[in-house]
Amino acid sequence: MKVLMLAAEAAPLVKVGGLGDVVGGISAELRALGHDVRIALPHYGFISAAGESQSVLSVRWGRAKVKSSCIETAIEGTPCLLIGGRPIAPGESVYAQTAAIDIRRFVFFALAALHHVQALGFQPDVVHVHDAHPGAAVHWLQQAASTEPFWRRTARVLTIHNMVYQYNEAAEALALGGLKPASDNRVPTWARAGLLALAIRAADRINAVSPTYAKEIVAQEHGAGLHALLLARAGRLSGILNGIDYQCWDAATDSALARNFTAETLPAREANKRALQQETVLPVGPAPLLGMVSRLDHQKGLDLLARALPAVLREGKAALVVLGSGDGNIQAALQQLAADFPERVLLNFRFDEGFARRIYGGADMMLVPSRYEPCGLVQMIALRYGAVPLVRATGGLRDTVTDCDVDPASGTGFVFDAFTPRALRAALRRALTRFEDRSFWRGMQRRGMALDFSWAAAGRRYQALYRKAIEDRSARGTD
Ligand code: GLC
């Protein structure tokens, strides 16, 4: 199949969060399955890629025609088109400080990318859009299907990584691109010019990044106002759990670690814990070491952690290391915790992949107390590195971690339900008690390490989803 991926991020070239990892990862897997995959990304100011060839064309943008460039490069072997043009150029970062700038840049990107692909003669069987950013492409394709023979047979797939970022006030940017908002009353009035809502409405198939999240978003709590629209499209909605790159994340070969290890050589892991304790100047010794690697975002529940942890730290000998960057208020809450427990809490507010790897390879547990979590990659990496995950029962966390008190024979971690300090504290106490039983703990680490969250399973599921989308497309004829 010929597949065009449209996204704001694709790792390793552009990565802010898990979205980038997933777009890069699934593209590589689909290519390995024999599909002809192209990724298109906005040509952000910070990408200095000198590509093999560059083409330029004009895109209608209001009354004017705006020049758009396209540089052909590659991301780890997958061909990648970097789409440029005046609305994309401003700012150095992937996401601007204001939604209005993002909306203009992403609407322009989505429409220009389709023009370039057509000019290059690459006729995709599937246009696969990730999240709201390139959502205008799905809306445009729905309209073009009746007028443009080139796009008549193209199926449209939307993957939802996060319902919260919707870009709802896009009427002006859509008008610049010659598009009208939806008039359909399944879409709430406030979302009729929303990039996510328009994509949900016009996609042949929609998937969320875990089976549980696919169920959660059709209800009010996690649907971010679009649950009724999603429910109306429930027949087209499914969940596909993300994967992680098993070569890139491998404790047996990871050069960031003091000692490499496998499930068979788990005692060797102790050297990594010691090294991490030394590096972070936390007390060296057998006391449990908790780790957290996270964007500092409201979603991630760090505020809950800051409220739940003091009592637990006062009672026992556990220590905590946190690596993350983002929101200043969250940083301040964590700084208070570190000020209260200077010898037990170490914070690092940077993006540092080597340090993240040393945390996965050395911490005894990884904490993921998210408010909501469409999939979550941290707990999957933690399982692979023998760090026992403690997670909240939401989205992909629920789909990937089995609580060892609920199911001692196949448990791989600790799961708590209510988003309250009390529930988190109870799970932490259970974990610290279980930690004393070394052989039980080893068993849990081994079971976690034996799970398979590589891209292989997700690759096959996406392939099947594309086939369904193509069937839907041909059954429907023109829109
Ligand atoms: C978003 C979600 C996260 C998911 C990632 C990749 O960042 O918040 O849960 O793992 O996308 O799909």
Side-chain angles (χ1 to χ4, degrees):
M1 277 180 263
K2 288 198 177 106
V3 180
L4 173 66
M5 296 279 180
L6 296 179
E9 304 177 30
L13 189 62
V14 180
K15 174 186 149 104
V16 177
L19 171 66
D21 292 314
V22 169
V23 174
I26 189 61
S27 301
E29 183 64 26
L30 288 164
R31 239 169 58 85
L33 288 171
H35 301 294
D36 186 357
V37 181
R38 311 282 156 101
I39 301 173
L41 290 175
H43 193 166
Y44 301 106
F46 62 85
I47 306 177
S48 58
E52 281 104 59
S53 69
Q54 171 163 3
S55 48
V56 176
L57 48 71
S58 296
V59 178
R60 174 184 162 185
W61 197 238
R63 296 228 180 101
K65 291 230 164 200
V66 170
K67 282 214 172 85
S68 170
S69 57
C70 172
I71 293 182
E72 293 178 55
T73 173
I75 298 182
E76 307 220 309
T78 306
C80 174
L81 309 176
L82 296 172
I83 309 296
R86 191 167 36 77
I88 291 173
E92 285 295 302
S93 56
V94 175
Y95 304 109
Q97 294 301 315
T98 56
I101 295 177
D102 276 350
I103 286 172
R104 273 183 179 232
R105 129 196 284 201
F106 289 128
V107 169
F108 181 84
F109 155 69
L111 302 181
L114 295 177
H115 286 313
H116 279 290
V117 164
Q118 183 167 1
L120 293 169
F122 181 76
Q123 190 171 25
D125 299 295
V126 178
V127 171
H128 185 170
V129 160
H130 294 266
D131 268 352
H133 320 92
V138 186
H139 188 46
W140 186 87
L141 284 169
Q142 186 181 39
Q143 306 193 354
S146 55
T147 54
E148 306 247 355
F150 186 86
W151 295 106
R152 197 161 289 154
R153 291 178 43 250
T154 306
R156 312 182 286 255
V157 172
L158 167 69
T159 294
I160 299 176
H161 299 257
N162 197 328
M163 282 301 297
V164 169
Y165 305 106
Q166 300 183 359
Y167 293 126
N168 279 320
E169 272 142 48
E172 203 186 305
L174 291 169
L176 288 170
L179 292 166
K180 290 201 183 70
S183 51
D184 172 346
N185 54 22
R186 290 179 309 174
V187 186
T189 325
W190 50 265
R192 289 199 181 153
L195 300 184
L196 187 61
L198 290 172
I200 291 174
R201 199 179 143 267
D204 293 303
R205 289 278 160 176
I206 305 160
N207 82 291
V209 289
S210 68
T212 294
Y213 195 54
K215 291 189 198 124
E216 288 173 338
I217 58 181
V218 296
Q220 192 159 7
E221 188 187 352
H222 294 293
L226 297 180
H227 50 283
L229 172 63
L230 281 161
L231 198 58
R233 304 228 60 212
R236 302 301 179 95
L237 173 66
S238 60
I240 299 180
L241 190 73
N242 287 331
I244 56 169
D245 183 335
Y246 264 42
Q247 268 174 6
C248 161
W249 297 106
D250 185 354
T253 55
D254 192 330
S255 60
L257 300 182
R259 278 281 285 282
N260 292 115
F261 61 93
T262 64
E264 285 68 51
T265 59
L266 264 177
R269 196 176 184 281
E270 292 299 319
N272 295 317
K273 177 172 174 182
R274 217 173 311 118
L276 181 62
Q277 288 169 326
Q278 281 159 352
E279 178 180 357
T280 52
V281 211
L282 290 168
V284 174
L289 181 56
L290 318 179
M292 189 149 182
V293 175
S294 180
R295 275 183 294 123
L296 303 184
D297 186 294
H298 182 68
Q299 167 188 352
K300 300 291 181 180
L302 290 117
D303 49 334
L304 186 69
L305 187 72
R307 284 194 284 150
L309 217 54
V312 176
L313 290 179
R314 243 176 263 123
E315 284 158 19
K317 297 241 173 309
L320 169 73
V321 48
V322 179
L323 171 67
S325 56
D327 190 288
N329 293 329
I330 297 174
Q331 285 192 16
L334 291 170
Q335 266 154 347
Q336 186 56 51
L337 186 70
D340 293 341
F341 298 92
E343 275 143 40
R344 307 275 205 84
V345 176
L346 185 280
L347 309 173
N348 187 331
F349 297 138
R350 282 184 302 139
F351 178 79
D352 181 341
E353 186 170 317
F355 190 41
R357 289 173 176 277
R358 295 193 288 280
I359 297 176
Y360 287 119
D364 295 301
M365 277 173 239
M366 291 299 287
L367 311 181
V368 195
S370 305
R371 278 189 167 74
Y372 70 93
E373 196 61 77
C375 179
L377 307 178
V378 167
Q379 81 282 10
M380 296 200 262
I381 302 171
L383 287 163
R384 176 123 168 102
Y385 275 59
V388 173
L390 185 155
V391 305
R392 174 145 186 269
T394 181
L397 301 174
R398 189 191 270 277
D399 294 332
T400 49
V401 181
T402 306
D403 189 284
C404 68
D405 287 319
V406 174
D407 188 348
S410 58
T412 52
F414 302 88
V415 183
F416 69 100
D417 263 296
F419 189 79
T420 60
R422 195 173 159 180
L424 171 52
R425 244 186 330 258
L428 281 165
R429 288 192 178 116
R430 286 198 287 125
L432 297 178
T433 306
R434 284 293 194 182
F435 184 73
E436 311 269 294
D437 182 347
R438 298 311 294 156
S439 80
F440 182 83
W441 197 265
R442 277 269 136 79
M444 198 154 50
Q445 288 176 297
R446 289 211 175 91
R447 282 193 293 276
M449 292 179 84
L451 296 174
D452 184 358
F453 293 118
S454 66
W455 273 111
R460 285 192 301 273
R461 293 198 177 105
Y462 272 102
Q463 192 173 257
L465 185 76
Y466 290 167
R467 295 213 172 99
K468 281 192 197 145
I470 291 168
E471 277 171 31
D472 297 338
R473 185 77 205 92
S474 38
R476 178 156 38 82
T478 54
D479 291 84

